[in-house]
Amino acid sequence: MSDTAPASNLEKFTPRVFSGIQPSGGLTLGNYLGAMKRFVDMQDAGTHETVYCMVDMHAITVWQDPADLARNTRELCAGFIASGIDPERSILFNQSQVPEHAQLGWIFNCVARMGWMSRMTQWKDRAGKNQQNASLGLFAYPALMAADILVYHATHVPVGEDQKQHLELTRDIAIKFNNDFGVDFFPVTEPVIEGAATRVMSLRDSSKKMSKSDPSDASRINLTDDADAIAKKIRKAKTDPEPLPETLEGLEGRPEARNLINIYAALADQSAEAVLAEYAGAQFGQFKPALADLAVAKLAPISSEMARLMQDQPEIDRLLARGAERAREIATPILKRTNEIVGMIG
Ligand code: AQP
């Protein structure tokens, strides 16, 4: 992989944001704060075109029950809309309905190197000790992710901290493609990893990120949890016996406290410092109910709107079909030109 950051070539591209979420389970508070809420902010800022995707082809790199996958994809679409994504202002679609992702993904499989892929920490974590039995798709996942981004010539990608390495690989693939073929065709995309909650941790184990596929439901807040479930999970969240400190330095060595403060800050659109200024000296017995109230106030409207949208599945399918059509309007000419650059006649 390249050791030095390349000069940015972004000025020649239309400012465009792309990001995706896997329909591999229900949405968590981690997905909401680390991704979805920021997708909405970028849409509302109006500075970039925004393209958002349900990445179902990524989800099947590990086993998905077919009925669950279909349901989770529609529920994720409902989650995007309930969180504030407007399918008119943003392009919102499902990855497998836009075949250009897979086609460019194959070309990138031939650009990326085995060594690059084997260094991906997510591959190592997910394949674990049983790499020989992991799917080939799980290994190649980051090349498809690069295609997801680059088939739109996206200039910026908002993601959580866990995706940073994959974004670096996307940049390396763009640079290698451009160098190999002597072109300046793909943008060297910038990751956008910012805000108080770029890495929301499990409520049960602060060494692990909050994840939809964690076997423990108590480890996460699901966007579909009701007020009682949210309050109970926050009440039971692992913490320490100390009161909250006055400053961020006081949170050092206290990952559970840090996590809850970050969650509060992100939900309230405040800095972690401002939250500490308000709660310095408070015990968790006082802070946790305040956090639970805030989480319920922010998440309940999303969850009820998701439930409402899910009652009209034909409408969700119609929106997704329309989103895929709009996505293809951008992706088709970019793939066609890529094929020409590579020398593929078509
Ligand atoms: N805990 C998290 N904190 C902050 N951001 C997070 N994201 C995920 N978990 C957290 C961000 O959500 C976006 C979509 O992620 P994804 O669904 O494509 O895959 P993931 O990162 O693997 O998420 P999960 O919930 O952990 O899914 P599973 O369990 O299926 O692997 C990304 O921008 C991610 O950074």
Side-chain angles (χ1 to χ4, degrees):
M1 279 202 253
S2 58
D3 293 328
T4 50
S8 166
N9 65 352
L10 294 187
E11 65 289 344
K12 62 178 270 201
F13 295 91
T14 303
R16 185 175 290 139
V17 161
F18 174 90
S19 201
I21 298 188
Q22 298 184 67
S24 47
L27 280 167
T28 71
L29 183 67
N31 297 134
Y32 176 66
L33 294 177
M36 198 80 95
K37 187 169 182 292
R38 298 170 51 230
F39 298 174
V40 175
D41 291 343
M42 294 189 102
Q43 166 193 270
D44 293 349
T47 51
H48 293 67
E49 287 180 21
T50 44
V51 183
Y52 298 125
C53 182
M54 280 125 265
V55 284
D56 57 348
M57 288 157 65
H58 286 285
I60 63 163
T61 56
V62 297
W63 170 252
Q64 303 292 329
D65 174 84
D68 288 349
L69 180 65
R71 189 195 145 74
N72 287 335
T73 304
R74 293 191 177 103
E75 191 176 86
L76 179 52
C77 179
F80 269 106
I81 296 169
S83 301
I85 296 299
D86 173 351
E88 290 303 318
R89 280 191 289 154
S90 292
I91 299 179
L92 181 64
F93 71 102
N94 187 30
Q95 186 185 29
S96 60
Q97 286 176 275
V98 178
E100 285 78 5
H101 288 241
Q103 289 171 274
L104 185 60
W106 181 259
I107 293 176
F108 287 169
N109 280 344
C110 303
V111 173
R113 306 288 94 182
M114 295 283 286
W116 298 2
M117 299 305 205
S118 10
R119 283 197 284 276
M120 293 295 108
T121 52
Q122 197 174 83
W123 154 251
K124 289 192 255 184
D125 289 349
R126 292 190 133 203
K129 291 196 175 66
N130 203 1
Q131 290 191 351
Q132 293 300 313
N133 208 29
S135 75
L136 187 54
L138 188 65
F139 186 71
Y141 177 121
L144 179 60
M145 179 166 160
D148 299 336
I149 295 164
L150 295 174
V151 83
Y152 300 99
H153 275 181
T155 54
H156 294 88
V157 182
V159 279
E161 184 69 40
D162 59 317
Q163 291 296 332
K164 190 169 179 220
Q165 198 186 27
H166 288 164
L167 260 297
E168 278 160 15
L169 190 104
T170 297
R171 291 161 62 88
D172 286 317
I173 288 177
I175 293 164
K176 180 158 163 48
F177 182 97
N178 288 347
N179 286 342
D180 285 353
F181 294 99
V183 291
D184 190 18
F185 182 63
F186 284 115
V188 182
T189 303
E190 288 287 343
V192 186
I193 302 174
E194 57 192 28
T198 54
R199 192 166 173 81
V200 178
M201 306 310 284
S202 156
L203 299 178
R204 304 302 305 160
D205 175 354
S206 62
S207 68
K208 293 200 306 198
K209 73 165 188 152
M210 186 180 284
S211 186
K212 30 177 137 63
S213 54
D214 191 313
S216 160
D217 190 59
S219 70
R220 62 177 165 265
I221 292 173
N222 305 298
L223 250 49
T224 49
D225 282 343
D226 62 22
D228 284 349
I230 293 175
K232 190 167 165 208
K233 286 177 180 177
I234 292 179
R235 197 168 59 243
K236 292 201 159 176
K238 238 183 116 198
T239 40
D240 57 44
E242 302 299 318
L244 287 169
E246 280 171 22
T247 61
L248 281 184
E249 293 73 55
L251 287 174
E252 257 163 49
R254 301 180 63 189
E256 293 90 2
R258 170 99 224 195
N259 191 34
L260 296 188
I261 293 290
N262 282 348
I263 292 174
Y264 190 107
L267 281 169
D269 282 317
Q270 285 179 353
S271 64
E273 288 88 342
V275 179
L276 286 178
E278 191 177 340
Y279 286 98
Q283 298 288 344
F284 283 104
Q286 183 188 346
F287 179 70
K288 281 179 168 179
L291 176 58
D293 286 349
L294 177 64
V296 170
K298 296 286 177 178
L299 302 184
I302 298 176
S303 142
S304 62
E305 179 62 1
M306 276 172 79
R308 192 189 68 76
L309 292 164
M310 280 298 277
Q311 287 182 349
D312 190 355
Q313 293 195 5
E315 174 62 6
I316 291 186
D317 292 356
R318 193 193 62 74
L319 284 173
L320 287 178
R322 172 75 191 121
E325 243 176 64
R326 291 174 64 203
R328 294 193 78 183
E329 281 167 20
I330 304 176
T332 305
I334 290 176
L335 180 71
K336 186 170 186 302
R337 180 69 197 125
T338 310
N339 286 345
E340 282 166 9
I341 291 170
V342 172
M344 299 198 292
I345 302 167

